[in-house]
Amino acid sequence: MTALHWKLVLDANDPHAQAAFWASALGYEAEDNSALVERLLAHGHVKPDQTVQTSRGPAFRDLAAVRHPDDPYDPETGTGHGRRLLFQRVPEPGTGKNRLHLDIHATPDRDRDAEVARLEGLGATVLRQVKGPGGAWAVMADPEGNEYCVH
């Protein structure tokens, strides 16, 4: 059986702000879909009110994605074919604890405390520090309150 292609989709109030945060947090690249959006606008498949203007050109108003910089992507659409996070606008705010979360691992040149401080500088919040038999980690929240851990 061939392995399936997937992406992690996260609900967001502001997909572009979330994409910017997570691109900086993970060292990922924000996807540039402007060529695709321009084609869809030109053919009438997307209406102008479904887009926003970014520094790179038009983008989908309600969707923004980030991808790992080493993974393949389609140059005609800007869509990644590897490790991706896709943020989609939803009208309701998040409620309750995430049932799925990311674990971020500090790099050899930056320990966990330095990584936590860097992420706080990007707009994240430390929710609690955990120490257990399996080690220690920080439980954090991104700017919209989505929880993740830093090991």
Side-chain angles (χ1 to χ4, degrees):
M1 179 178 167
T2 302
L4 299 175
H5 178 76
W6 62 273
K7 63 184 163 284
L8 182 60
V9 180
L10 298 110
D11 292 347
N13 294 324
D14 184 343
H16 294 276
Q18 283 293 90
F21 170 81
W22 282 103
S24 293
L26 298 173
Y28 274 36
E29 293 180 4
E31 290 185 353
D32 179 2
N33 305 119
S34 59
L36 171 62
V37 173
E38 286 173 352
R39 280 196 311 275
L40 293 172
L41 282 165
H43 289 93
H45 298 300
V46 171
K47 297 178 179 153
D49 67 347
Q50 296 173 306
T51 67
V52 294
Q53 193 64 32
T54 69
S55 61
R56 296 182 291 192
F60 295 110
R61 182 180 61 111
D62 295 332
L63 297 170
V66 298
R67 64 176 173 78
H68 192 284
D70 296 336
D71 288 351
Y73 69 97
D74 180 347
E76 291 186 27
T77 66
T79 302
H81 297 296
R83 294 162 279 186
R84 297 177 72 217
L85 299 177
L86 173 67
F87 301 92
Q88 66 180 3
R89 185 183 311 276
V90 296
E92 68 277 353
T95 59
K97 185 180 181 306
N98 299 14
R99 295 295 304 251
L100 176 72
H101 70 267
L102 298 178
D103 278 0
I104 296 174
H105 296 270
T107 61
D109 62 325
R110 191 169 42 232
D111 69 12
R112 185 182 64 245
D113 292 338
E115 190 62 30
V116 166
R118 183 184 75 83
L119 293 164
E120 283 181 300
L122 295 174
T125 305
V126 175
L127 300 177
R128 63 188 170 282
Q129 297 284 347
V130 178
K131 291 185 176 151
W137 61 92
V139 178
M140 300 187 73
D142 72 14
E144 288 196 6
N146 299 303
E147 291 185 20
Y148 63 97
C149 297
V150 179
H151 293 264

